[in-house]
Amino acid sequence: MLDLHVSGIGLISSVGHDAKTSCASIRAGVSRPVEYYNYSQLNYETQDEEPIVVHQIKGITEGYYFLGLWMRLAKLCLLDMLSNSII
């Protein structure tokens, strides 16, 4: 059986563009919810459509959808991991 050893960490989120700031912001309770007007949901009480609330990564994910979005996030996470790894 093959053992897996992780020697680095990479992260990008709506509250930080690298692992250190993301983890510090999450521990401090920081969040950035934003109303997203491209999609809507139905409010069952009022029967009105309203925008959904997302935690969008500003400047990184705008204009990208589905596979393109996930590939962009994966690339930036791996670049962060490579810059923080111990070789």
Side-chain angles (χ1 to χ4, degrees):
M1 182 173 229
L2 187 64
D3 291 337
L4 176 67
H5 301 279
V6 178
S7 62
I9 184 169
L11 176 67
I12 186 168
S13 69
S14 63
V15 292
H17 289 181
D18 62 353
K20 292 176 186 175
T21 42
S22 293
C23 290
S25 299
I26 291 168
R27 278 190 224 119
V30 175
S31 67
R32 290 187 181 157
V34 179
E35 290 183 349
Y36 190 62
Y37 291 97
N38 290 349
Y39 293 100
S40 61
Q41 65 183 358
L42 182 66
N43 185 334
Y44 289 109
E45 295 174 3
T46 62
Q47 294 298 309
D48 293 330
E49 286 191 5
E50 55 188 31
I52 61 173
V53 176
V54 297
H55 293 268
Q56 189 176 26
I57 304 172
K58 293 282 188 184
I60 304 292
T61 58
E62 284 116 359
Y64 293 92
Y65 298 99
F66 303 115
L67 187 57
L69 181 131
W70 287 109
M71 292 298 291
R72 186 159 167 88
L73 289 174
K75 176 185 171 187
L76 292 171
C77 286
L78 287 173
L79 286 173
D80 183 40
M81 184 177 80
L82 288 173
S83 69
N84 292 325
S85 63
I86 300 171
I87 297 175

Short mmCIF file of all heavy atoms in Angstrom, two decimals, residues 1-57:
data_model
loop_
_atom_site.label_atom_id
_atom_site.label_comp_id
_atom_site.label_asym_id
_atom_site.label_seq_id
_atom_site.Cartn_x
_atom_site.Cartn_y
_atom_site.Cartn_z
N MET A 1 0.84 -1.17 0.00
CA MET A 1 0.00 0.00 0.00
C MET A 1 0.89 1.25 0.00
O MET A 1 1.90 1.30 0.68
CB MET A 1 -0.91 -0.02 1.21
CG MET A 1 -1.85 1.13 1.28
SD MET A 1 -3.02 0.91 2.62
CE MET A 1 -4.49 1.24 1.75
N LEU A 2 0.48 2.27 -0.75
CA LEU A 2 1.24 3.49 -0.90
C LEU A 2 0.83 4.52 0.16
O LEU A 2 -0.35 4.77 0.35
CB LEU A 2 1.00 4.06 -2.29
CG LEU A 2 1.82 5.26 -2.71
CD1 LEU A 2 3.30 4.89 -2.76
CD2 LEU A 2 1.37 5.75 -4.06
N ASP A 3 1.80 5.07 0.87
CA ASP A 3 1.52 6.11 1.86
C ASP A 3 1.53 7.47 1.20
O ASP A 3 2.31 7.72 0.29
CB ASP A 3 2.57 6.09 2.98
CG ASP A 3 2.46 4.86 3.84
OD1 ASP A 3 1.37 4.26 3.88
OD2 ASP A 3 3.47 4.49 4.46
N LEU A 4 0.67 8.35 1.66
CA LEU A 4 0.59 9.71 1.15
C LEU A 4 1.04 10.67 2.24
O LEU A 4 0.54 10.61 3.36
CB LEU A 4 -0.84 10.04 0.72
CG LEU A 4 -1.10 11.46 0.26
CD1 LEU A 4 -0.36 11.70 -1.05
CD2 LEU A 4 -2.57 11.70 0.09
N HIS A 5 1.98 11.54 1.90
CA HIS A 5 2.49 12.52 2.84
C HIS A 5 2.26 13.91 2.25
O HIS A 5 2.71 14.20 1.16
CB HIS A 5 3.98 12.32 3.11
CG HIS A 5 4.29 10.97 3.66
ND1 HIS A 5 4.14 10.66 4.99
CD2 HIS A 5 4.71 9.84 3.06
CE1 HIS A 5 4.47 9.41 5.18
NE2 HIS A 5 4.82 8.88 4.02
N VAL A 6 1.58 14.76 2.99
CA VAL A 6 1.32 16.12 2.55
C VAL A 6 2.35 17.03 3.20
O VAL A 6 2.48 17.07 4.42
CB VAL A 6 -0.11 16.57 2.94
CG1 VAL A 6 -0.35 18.00 2.53
CG2 VAL A 6 -1.14 15.65 2.30
N SER A 7 3.08 17.77 2.36
CA SER A 7 4.13 18.64 2.90
C SER A 7 3.86 20.12 2.61
O SER A 7 4.72 20.94 2.75
CB SER A 7 5.48 18.24 2.32
OG SER A 7 5.46 18.42 0.92
N GLY A 8 2.64 20.44 2.19
CA GLY A 8 2.30 21.82 1.90
C GLY A 8 0.80 22.02 1.98
O GLY A 8 0.03 21.06 2.04
N ILE A 9 0.37 23.25 1.99
CA ILE A 9 -1.05 23.55 2.03
C ILE A 9 -1.30 24.75 1.12
O ILE A 9 -0.51 25.68 1.07
CB ILE A 9 -1.53 23.83 3.46
CG1 ILE A 9 -3.03 24.04 3.49
CG2 ILE A 9 -0.83 25.02 4.07
CD1 ILE A 9 -3.62 24.06 4.88
N GLY A 10 -2.39 24.69 0.37
CA GLY A 10 -2.78 25.79 -0.50
C GLY A 10 -4.27 26.03 -0.37
O GLY A 10 -5.06 25.09 -0.25
N LEU A 11 -4.67 27.27 -0.36
CA LEU A 11 -6.07 27.61 -0.15
C LEU A 11 -6.36 28.96 -0.78
O LEU A 11 -5.52 29.86 -0.76
CB LEU A 11 -6.37 27.65 1.35
CG LEU A 11 -7.76 28.07 1.79
CD1 LEU A 11 -8.81 27.05 1.38
CD2 LEU A 11 -7.79 28.29 3.29
N ILE A 12 -7.54 29.09 -1.34
CA ILE A 12 -8.04 30.38 -1.80
C ILE A 12 -9.51 30.43 -1.40
O ILE A 12 -10.22 29.43 -1.51
CB ILE A 12 -7.84 30.56 -3.32
CG1 ILE A 12 -8.22 31.96 -3.72
CG2 ILE A 12 -8.57 29.53 -4.11
CD1 ILE A 12 -7.79 32.31 -5.12
N SER A 13 -9.94 31.56 -0.88
CA SER A 13 -11.32 31.68 -0.42
C SER A 13 -11.79 33.11 -0.61
O SER A 13 -11.04 33.98 -1.06
CB SER A 13 -11.44 31.27 1.05
OG SER A 13 -10.81 32.22 1.87
N SER A 14 -13.02 33.36 -0.23
CA SER A 14 -13.56 34.72 -0.37
C SER A 14 -12.98 35.68 0.66
O SER A 14 -13.14 36.89 0.52
CB SER A 14 -15.09 34.68 -0.23
OG SER A 14 -15.46 34.23 1.05
N VAL A 15 -12.29 35.18 1.65
CA VAL A 15 -11.71 36.06 2.69
C VAL A 15 -10.19 36.09 2.65
O VAL A 15 -9.56 36.69 3.51
CB VAL A 15 -12.20 35.65 4.10
CG1 VAL A 15 -13.67 35.95 4.25
CG2 VAL A 15 -11.90 34.21 4.40
N GLY A 16 -9.58 35.44 1.66
CA GLY A 16 -8.13 35.49 1.53
C GLY A 16 -7.68 34.78 0.27
O GLY A 16 -8.27 33.78 -0.12
N HIS A 17 -6.63 35.28 -0.34
CA HIS A 17 -6.15 34.69 -1.58
C HIS A 17 -4.94 33.80 -1.37
O HIS A 17 -4.26 33.44 -2.34
CB HIS A 17 -5.84 35.78 -2.61
CG HIS A 17 -7.07 36.43 -3.14
ND1 HIS A 17 -7.04 37.41 -4.07
CD2 HIS A 17 -8.38 36.24 -2.88
CE1 HIS A 17 -8.27 37.80 -4.36
NE2 HIS A 17 -9.10 37.09 -3.63
N ASP A 18 -4.66 33.43 -0.14
CA ASP A 18 -3.65 32.42 0.16
C ASP A 18 -4.04 31.73 1.46
O ASP A 18 -5.00 32.12 2.12
CB ASP A 18 -2.24 33.02 0.23
CG ASP A 18 -2.08 34.06 1.33
OD1 ASP A 18 -3.08 34.43 1.96
OD2 ASP A 18 -0.94 34.50 1.55
N ALA A 19 -3.32 30.68 1.80
CA ALA A 19 -3.69 29.85 2.95
C ALA A 19 -3.58 30.62 4.27
O ALA A 19 -4.45 30.49 5.14
CB ALA A 19 -2.82 28.60 2.99
N LYS A 20 -2.54 31.41 4.43
CA LYS A 20 -2.33 32.10 5.70
C LYS A 20 -3.44 33.10 5.99
O LYS A 20 -4.01 33.11 7.08
CB LYS A 20 -0.98 32.81 5.69
CG LYS A 20 0.19 31.86 5.70
CD LYS A 20 1.51 32.59 5.60
CE LYS A 20 2.64 31.60 5.47
NZ LYS A 20 3.92 32.26 5.27
N THR A 21 -3.76 33.96 5.02
CA THR A 21 -4.81 34.96 5.27
C THR A 21 -6.20 34.33 5.33
O THR A 21 -7.04 34.78 6.10
CB THR A 21 -4.80 36.08 4.21
OG1 THR A 21 -4.61 35.50 2.93
CG2 THR A 21 -3.78 37.10 4.49
N SER A 22 -6.43 33.29 4.53
CA SER A 22 -7.73 32.62 4.59
C SER A 22 -7.98 32.00 5.95
O SER A 22 -9.04 32.18 6.55
CB SER A 22 -7.83 31.54 3.51
OG SER A 22 -7.85 32.11 2.23
N CYS A 23 -6.99 31.27 6.47
CA CYS A 23 -7.14 30.62 7.78
C CYS A 23 -7.28 31.65 8.90
O CYS A 23 -8.11 31.49 9.80
CB CYS A 23 -5.97 29.69 8.05
SG CYS A 23 -5.95 28.23 7.01
N ALA A 24 -6.49 32.72 8.84
CA ALA A 24 -6.58 33.76 9.87
C ALA A 24 -7.94 34.45 9.84
O ALA A 24 -8.54 34.72 10.88
CB ALA A 24 -5.46 34.78 9.69
N SER A 25 -8.45 34.72 8.64
CA SER A 25 -9.76 35.37 8.51
C SER A 25 -10.88 34.48 9.00
O SER A 25 -11.81 34.93 9.67
CB SER A 25 -10.01 35.76 7.06
OG SER A 25 -9.04 36.67 6.61
N ILE A 26 -10.81 33.20 8.68
CA ILE A 26 -11.85 32.25 9.12
C ILE A 26 -11.83 32.12 10.64
O ILE A 26 -12.89 32.11 11.28
CB ILE A 26 -11.67 30.90 8.42
CG1 ILE A 26 -12.00 31.05 6.92
CG2 ILE A 26 -12.54 29.83 9.05
CD1 ILE A 26 -11.59 29.87 6.07
N ARG A 27 -10.63 32.05 11.24
CA ARG A 27 -10.54 31.98 12.70
C ARG A 27 -11.07 33.24 13.37
O ARG A 27 -11.63 33.19 14.46
CB ARG A 27 -9.08 31.78 13.13
CG ARG A 27 -8.65 30.35 13.05
CD ARG A 27 -7.29 30.17 13.71
NE ARG A 27 -6.50 29.32 12.84
CZ ARG A 27 -5.37 29.67 12.26
NH1 ARG A 27 -4.84 30.84 12.47
NH2 ARG A 27 -4.74 28.83 11.49
N ALA A 28 -10.91 34.38 12.70
CA ALA A 28 -11.40 35.65 13.26
C ALA A 28 -12.89 35.85 13.03
O ALA A 28 -13.46 36.81 13.53
CB ALA A 28 -10.63 36.81 12.65
N GLY A 29 -13.52 34.97 12.27
CA GLY A 29 -14.96 35.07 12.04
C GLY A 29 -15.35 35.98 10.89
O GLY A 29 -16.49 36.41 10.79
N VAL A 30 -14.40 36.29 10.01
CA VAL A 30 -14.68 37.17 8.86
C VAL A 30 -15.39 36.37 7.78
O VAL A 30 -15.01 35.24 7.48
CB VAL A 30 -13.37 37.77 8.31
CG1 VAL A 30 -13.62 38.58 7.06
CG2 VAL A 30 -12.67 38.59 9.36
N SER A 31 -16.42 36.95 7.17
CA SER A 31 -17.06 36.34 6.01
C SER A 31 -17.51 37.45 5.07
O SER A 31 -17.68 38.59 5.48
CB SER A 31 -18.26 35.48 6.42
OG SER A 31 -19.27 36.29 6.95
N ARG A 32 -17.67 37.12 3.80
CA ARG A 32 -18.05 38.11 2.80
C ARG A 32 -19.22 37.61 1.95
O ARG A 32 -19.07 37.32 0.77
CB ARG A 32 -16.86 38.40 1.88
CG ARG A 32 -15.76 39.14 2.54
CD ARG A 32 -14.73 39.55 1.52
NE ARG A 32 -13.64 40.25 2.18
CZ ARG A 32 -12.43 40.35 1.68
NH1 ARG A 32 -12.15 39.80 0.53
NH2 ARG A 32 -11.50 41.00 2.34
N PRO A 33 -20.40 37.53 2.52
CA PRO A 33 -21.55 37.14 1.71
C PRO A 33 -21.97 38.28 0.77
O PRO A 33 -21.91 39.45 1.14
CB PRO A 33 -22.63 36.84 2.73
CG PRO A 33 -22.25 37.61 3.94
CD PRO A 33 -20.75 37.72 3.92
N VAL A 34 -22.36 37.92 -0.45
CA VAL A 34 -22.74 38.89 -1.46
C VAL A 34 -24.01 38.37 -2.15
O VAL A 34 -24.15 37.17 -2.38
CB VAL A 34 -21.63 39.04 -2.52
CG1 VAL A 34 -22.02 40.03 -3.61
CG2 VAL A 34 -20.33 39.46 -1.88
N GLU A 35 -24.93 39.27 -2.47
CA GLU A 35 -26.10 38.87 -3.26
C GLU A 35 -25.69 38.71 -4.71
O GLU A 35 -25.04 39.58 -5.28
CB GLU A 35 -27.20 39.91 -3.13
CG GLU A 35 -27.82 39.94 -1.76
CD GLU A 35 -28.98 40.92 -1.67
OE1 GLU A 35 -29.16 41.72 -2.59
OE2 GLU A 35 -29.69 40.87 -0.66
N TYR A 36 -26.07 37.59 -5.31
CA TYR A 36 -25.69 37.25 -6.68
C TYR A 36 -26.94 37.33 -7.54
O TYR A 36 -27.86 36.52 -7.41
CB TYR A 36 -25.08 35.85 -6.70
CG TYR A 36 -24.44 35.46 -7.99
CD1 TYR A 36 -23.34 36.17 -8.47
CD2 TYR A 36 -24.90 34.39 -8.73
CE1 TYR A 36 -22.72 35.81 -9.64
CE2 TYR A 36 -24.28 34.02 -9.90
CZ TYR A 36 -23.19 34.73 -10.36
OH TYR A 36 -22.59 34.38 -11.52
N TYR A 37 -26.98 38.32 -8.42
CA TYR A 37 -28.21 38.62 -9.16
C TYR A 37 -28.39 37.79 -10.43
O TYR A 37 -29.44 37.86 -11.05
CB TYR A 37 -28.25 40.11 -9.49
CG TYR A 37 -28.43 40.96 -8.27
CD1 TYR A 37 -27.35 41.55 -7.64
CD2 TYR A 37 -29.69 41.14 -7.72
CE1 TYR A 37 -27.52 42.32 -6.50
CE2 TYR A 37 -29.87 41.90 -6.58
CZ TYR A 37 -28.78 42.49 -5.99
OH TYR A 37 -28.96 43.23 -4.85
N ASN A 38 -27.39 36.99 -10.84
CA ASN A 38 -27.55 36.18 -12.04
C ASN A 38 -28.50 35.00 -11.83
O ASN A 38 -29.07 34.48 -12.77
CB ASN A 38 -26.21 35.67 -12.53
CG ASN A 38 -25.35 36.78 -13.09
OD1 ASN A 38 -25.83 37.90 -13.29
ND2 ASN A 38 -24.09 36.50 -13.33
N TYR A 39 -28.63 34.56 -10.59
CA TYR A 39 -29.55 33.48 -10.26
C TYR A 39 -30.50 33.99 -9.18
O TYR A 39 -30.16 34.86 -8.40
CB TYR A 39 -28.79 32.25 -9.72
CG TYR A 39 -27.94 31.58 -10.75
CD1 TYR A 39 -26.57 31.81 -10.79
CD2 TYR A 39 -28.49 30.74 -11.69
CE1 TYR A 39 -25.77 31.22 -11.75
CE2 TYR A 39 -27.71 30.14 -12.65
CZ TYR A 39 -26.35 30.37 -12.67
OH TYR A 39 -25.57 29.79 -13.62
N SER A 40 -31.69 33.43 -9.17
CA SER A 40 -32.65 33.84 -8.15
C SER A 40 -33.29 32.61 -7.51
O SER A 40 -33.24 31.52 -8.06
CB SER A 40 -33.72 34.74 -8.75
OG SER A 40 -34.42 34.05 -9.76
N GLN A 41 -33.87 32.82 -6.36
CA GLN A 41 -34.59 31.76 -5.67
C GLN A 41 -35.96 32.29 -5.28
O GLN A 41 -36.17 33.49 -5.18
CB GLN A 41 -33.81 31.31 -4.44
CG GLN A 41 -33.68 32.37 -3.37
CD GLN A 41 -32.84 31.90 -2.20
OE1 GLN A 41 -32.40 30.77 -2.17
NE2 GLN A 41 -32.63 32.76 -1.24
N LEU A 42 -36.87 31.38 -5.07
CA LEU A 42 -38.23 31.77 -4.71
C LEU A 42 -38.37 31.80 -3.20
O LEU A 42 -38.08 30.82 -2.52
CB LEU A 42 -39.23 30.78 -5.31
CG LEU A 42 -40.70 31.07 -5.06
CD1 LEU A 42 -41.11 32.36 -5.78
CD2 LEU A 42 -41.56 29.92 -5.54
N ASN A 43 -38.81 32.92 -2.66
CA ASN A 43 -39.11 33.04 -1.24
C ASN A 43 -40.52 32.48 -1.04
O ASN A 43 -41.49 33.02 -1.55
CB ASN A 43 -39.04 34.50 -0.80
CG ASN A 43 -39.22 34.65 0.69
OD1 ASN A 43 -39.83 33.82 1.35
ND2 ASN A 43 -38.68 35.73 1.22
N TYR A 44 -40.63 31.37 -0.31
CA TYR A 44 -41.92 30.69 -0.17
C TYR A 44 -42.93 31.48 0.65
O TYR A 44 -44.12 31.32 0.48
CB TYR A 44 -41.72 29.30 0.43
CG TYR A 44 -41.05 28.36 -0.54
CD1 TYR A 44 -39.74 27.95 -0.35
CD2 TYR A 44 -41.72 27.91 -1.67
CE1 TYR A 44 -39.12 27.10 -1.24
CE2 TYR A 44 -41.11 27.06 -2.57
CZ TYR A 44 -39.82 26.66 -2.35
OH TYR A 44 -39.21 25.83 -3.24
N GLU A 45 -42.46 32.34 1.52
CA GLU A 45 -43.39 33.13 2.33
C GLU A 45 -44.04 34.25 1.54
O GLU A 45 -45.24 34.47 1.60
CB GLU A 45 -42.66 33.69 3.56
CG GLU A 45 -42.19 32.63 4.52
CD GLU A 45 -41.35 33.21 5.64
OE1 GLU A 45 -41.19 34.44 5.69
OE2 GLU A 45 -40.87 32.41 6.46
N THR A 46 -43.23 34.98 0.75
CA THR A 46 -43.76 36.12 0.00
C THR A 46 -44.04 35.80 -1.46
O THR A 46 -44.63 36.61 -2.16
CB THR A 46 -42.77 37.31 0.06
OG1 THR A 46 -41.54 36.91 -0.57
CG2 THR A 46 -42.52 37.73 1.50
N GLN A 47 -43.58 34.64 -1.95
CA GLN A 47 -43.71 34.22 -3.34
C GLN A 47 -43.01 35.19 -4.31
O GLN A 47 -43.41 35.34 -5.45
CB GLN A 47 -45.18 34.05 -3.73
CG GLN A 47 -45.88 32.92 -3.01
CD GLN A 47 -45.25 31.57 -3.32
OE1 GLN A 47 -45.07 31.22 -4.48
NE2 GLN A 47 -44.91 30.82 -2.29
N ASP A 48 -41.97 35.87 -3.84
CA ASP A 48 -41.17 36.76 -4.68
C ASP A 48 -39.83 36.10 -4.98
O ASP A 48 -39.30 35.34 -4.18
CB ASP A 48 -40.91 38.09 -3.97
CG ASP A 48 -42.17 38.91 -3.77
OD1 ASP A 48 -43.08 38.79 -4.62
OD2 ASP A 48 -42.23 39.65 -2.77
N GLU A 49 -39.29 36.42 -6.15
CA GLU A 49 -37.95 35.95 -6.48
C GLU A 49 -36.94 36.91 -5.88
O GLU A 49 -37.11 38.12 -5.92
CB GLU A 49 -37.76 35.88 -7.99
CG GLU A 49 -38.47 34.72 -8.62
CD GLU A 49 -38.06 34.52 -10.07
OE1 GLU A 49 -37.17 35.23 -10.55
OE2 GLU A 49 -38.66 33.66 -10.70
N GLU A 50 -35.88 36.35 -5.31
CA GLU A 50 -34.83 37.15 -4.71
C GLU A 50 -33.49 36.55 -5.08
O GLU A 50 -33.38 35.35 -5.37
CB GLU A 50 -35.01 37.23 -3.20
CG GLU A 50 -35.09 35.90 -2.51
CD GLU A 50 -35.45 36.02 -1.05
OE1 GLU A 50 -36.16 36.96 -0.67
OE2 GLU A 50 -35.00 35.15 -0.28
N PRO A 51 -32.42 37.36 -5.10
CA PRO A 51 -31.10 36.83 -5.46
C PRO A 51 -30.57 35.87 -4.39
O PRO A 51 -30.94 35.96 -3.23
CB PRO A 51 -30.23 38.08 -5.57
CG PRO A 51 -30.93 39.10 -4.76
CD PRO A 51 -32.40 38.78 -4.83
N ILE A 52 -29.73 34.95 -4.82
CA ILE A 52 -29.11 34.04 -3.87
C ILE A 52 -27.93 34.72 -3.20
O ILE A 52 -27.38 35.70 -3.71
CB ILE A 52 -28.67 32.72 -4.54
CG1 ILE A 52 -27.63 32.98 -5.63
CG2 ILE A 52 -29.86 31.98 -5.11
CD1 ILE A 52 -27.03 31.73 -6.22
N VAL A 53 -27.52 34.23 -2.06
CA VAL A 53 -26.37 34.77 -1.33
C VAL A 53 -25.20 33.80 -1.52
O VAL A 53 -25.33 32.60 -1.27
CB VAL A 53 -26.70 34.95 0.17
CG1 VAL A 53 -25.49 35.42 0.93
CG2 VAL A 53 -27.85 35.93 0.33
N VAL A 54 -24.08 34.33 -1.98
CA VAL A 54 -22.90 33.51 -2.25
C VAL A 54 -21.69 34.11 -1.55
O VAL A 54 -21.72 35.25 -1.10
CB VAL A 54 -22.62 33.40 -3.77
CG1 VAL A 54 -23.77 32.72 -4.48
CG2 VAL A 54 -22.37 34.75 -4.38
N HIS A 55 -20.62 33.36 -1.49
CA HIS A 55 -19.34 33.85 -0.98
C HIS A 55 -18.36 33.85 -2.16
O HIS A 55 -17.49 33.01 -2.27
CB HIS A 55 -18.84 32.97 0.16
CG HIS A 55 -19.70 33.07 1.37
ND1 HIS A 55 -19.44 33.97 2.38
CD2 HIS A 55 -20.82 32.43 1.72
CE1 HIS A 55 -20.36 33.86 3.31
NE2 HIS A 55 -21.21 32.93 2.93
N GLN A 56 -18.53 34.81 -3.03
CA GLN A 56 -17.79 34.90 -4.28
C GLN A 56 -16.36 35.37 -4.03
O GLN A 56 -16.11 36.21 -3.17
CB GLN A 56 -18.51 35.87 -5.20
CG GLN A 56 -18.01 35.91 -6.60
CD GLN A 56 -18.87 36.83 -7.46
OE1 GLN A 56 -19.51 37.73 -6.95
NE2 GLN A 56 -18.88 36.58 -8.74
N ILE A 57 -15.44 34.85 -4.81
CA ILE A 57 -14.04 35.26 -4.71
C ILE A 57 -13.83 36.37 -5.74
O ILE A 57 -13.65 36.11 -6.91
CB ILE A 57 -13.09 34.07 -4.95
CG1 ILE A 57 -13.41 32.95 -3.96
CG2 ILE A 57 -11.65 34.52 -4.81
CD1 ILE A 57 -12.67 31.68 -4.22
#
